Amino acid sequence: GENVEQHPSTLSVQEGDSAVIKCTYSDSASNYFPWYKQELGKGPQLIIDIRSNVGEKKDQRIAVTLNKTAKHFSLHITETQPEDSAVYFCAATFSGGTSYGKLTFGQGTILTVHP
Amino acid sequence: DTGVSQDPRHKITKRGQNVTFRCDPISEHNRLYWYRQTLGQGPEFLTYFQNEAQLEKSRLLSDRFSAERPKGSFSTLEIQRTEQGDSAMYLCASHRTGNNSPLHFGNGTRLTVT
């Protein structure tokens, strides 16, 4: 089955700095890679996703890059703000099957943005 | 779109008791998933439904766990004879059939078994 490793486990930055979170996956069949943000007491919220036919995707201050050959994908947050503080999870799945929503998650990164 | 709704938000029970959680997916979402999340970990897949049919169950789902989605709308997850190891956040998620439909999560039910 799929295995997703996520690093770092904690990340502390100053407001305005950039933050980068990296994930690797093991199953070359995986082709859909969402990122979720989870705040205390809430469920994960999708913030951006990328499919394997695209190398990079950007949405305002958030971008995701994918290297299929190396099986790496990364989340980049620019101009961080205190409200970006949360736990971030990467995930992977194969979107061509019936269990497209069966995601394998990384272990999470606790991001703290200091004002 | 009112989001995925889960009830209750918190449940404290004694070891050996049975508990049941409910999930109301986003309307018109025909696929519904249950995940379990323990402290400091990412969510882990438990089972999923397409309409009323349960299509897959994880090996994490022991015989004490049962899930239903009788009319293809809301779903229930029951845990019988709870154990302390069952303490976790139980998350429900849903999406529409079609590979471009993202998975939306509810805010979960936090179970504490004493």
Side-chain angles (χ1 to χ4, degrees):
Chain A
E2 176 65 276
N3 183 52
V4 177
E5 297 287 334
Q6 182 172 346
H7 299 280
S9 56
T10 61
L11 181 57
S12 183
V13 300
Q14 288 295 129
E15 182 177 1
D17 288 350
S18 295
V20 180
I21 302 170
K22 298 182 178 181
C23 290
T24 60
Y25 61 100
S26 62
D27 190 347
S28 56
S30 289
N31 59 0
Y32 175 64
F33 308 93
W35 285 88
Y36 286 84
K37 175 183 180 182
Q38 187 172 27
E39 297 174 326
L40 201 60
K42 295 188 176 181
Q45 178 185 11
L46 179 71
I47 55 172
I48 195 167
D49 56 14
I50 191 168
R51 298 178 190 279
S52 60
N53 59 345
V54 173
E56 184 173 355
K57 184 176 178 180
K58 191 172 181 180
D59 182 4
Q60 299 182 350
R61 296 185 298 109
I62 295 174
V64 57
T65 58
L66 172 65
N67 182 329
K68 284 189 297 183
T69 303
K71 296 183 193 166
H72 289 171
F73 58 114
S74 300
L75 178 71
H76 305 253
I77 306 174
T78 58
E79 300 171 19
T80 53
Q81 301 166 3
E83 49 266 38
D84 294 330
S85 297
V87 183
Y88 290 81
F89 291 97
C90 62
T93 191
F94 172 61
S95 70
T98 56
S99 57
Y100 154 75
K102 182 184 167 186
L103 300 174
T104 300
F105 283 84
Q107 299 87 344
T109 296
I110 301 172
L111 174 64
T112 304
V113 181
H114 299 281
Chain B
D1 181 347
T2 57
V4 178
S5 177
Q6 292 190 245
D7 183 70
R9 291 296 314 278
H10 303 274
K11 178 71 177 178
I12 301 173
T13 192
K14 293 185 177 179
R15 187 162 48 96
Q17 297 294 305
N18 299 345
V19 293
T20 300
F21 312 139
R22 176 180 170 124
C23 170
D24 286 90
I26 294 171
S27 59
E28 298 179 359
H29 279 193
N30 59 337
R31 289 197 184 155
L32 185 150
Y33 299 75
W34 286 98
Y35 282 78
R36 181 170 68 188
Q37 185 177 25
T38 53
L39 208 59
Q41 300 295 317
E44 294 175 296
F45 168 80
L46 292 178
T47 188
Y48 90 100
F49 294 82
Q50 177 158 310
N51 300 314
E52 65 276 7
Q54 187 173 17
L55 296 187
E56 187 172 345
K57 291 193 285 187
S58 161
R59 281 173 289 182
L60 292 176
L61 213 64
S62 78
D63 291 343
R64 297 183 296 105
F65 287 68
S66 63
E68 294 183 342
R69 194 183 183 198
K71 297 181 180 178
S73 56
F74 73 91
S75 176
T76 58
L77 178 68
E78 181 184 17
I79 309 174
Q80 296 182 326
R81 305 181 303 281
T82 52
E83 301 173 356
Q84 287 188 322
D86 296 332
S87 296
M89 173 81 88
Y90 290 85
L91 293 162
C92 178
S94 70
H95 75 105
R96 250 194 301 256
T97 305
N99 292 338
N100 290 326
S101 173
L103 195 63
H104 294 270
F105 282 86
N107 285 328
T109 293
R110 179 163 295 285
L111 173 66
T112 302
V113 182
T114 61

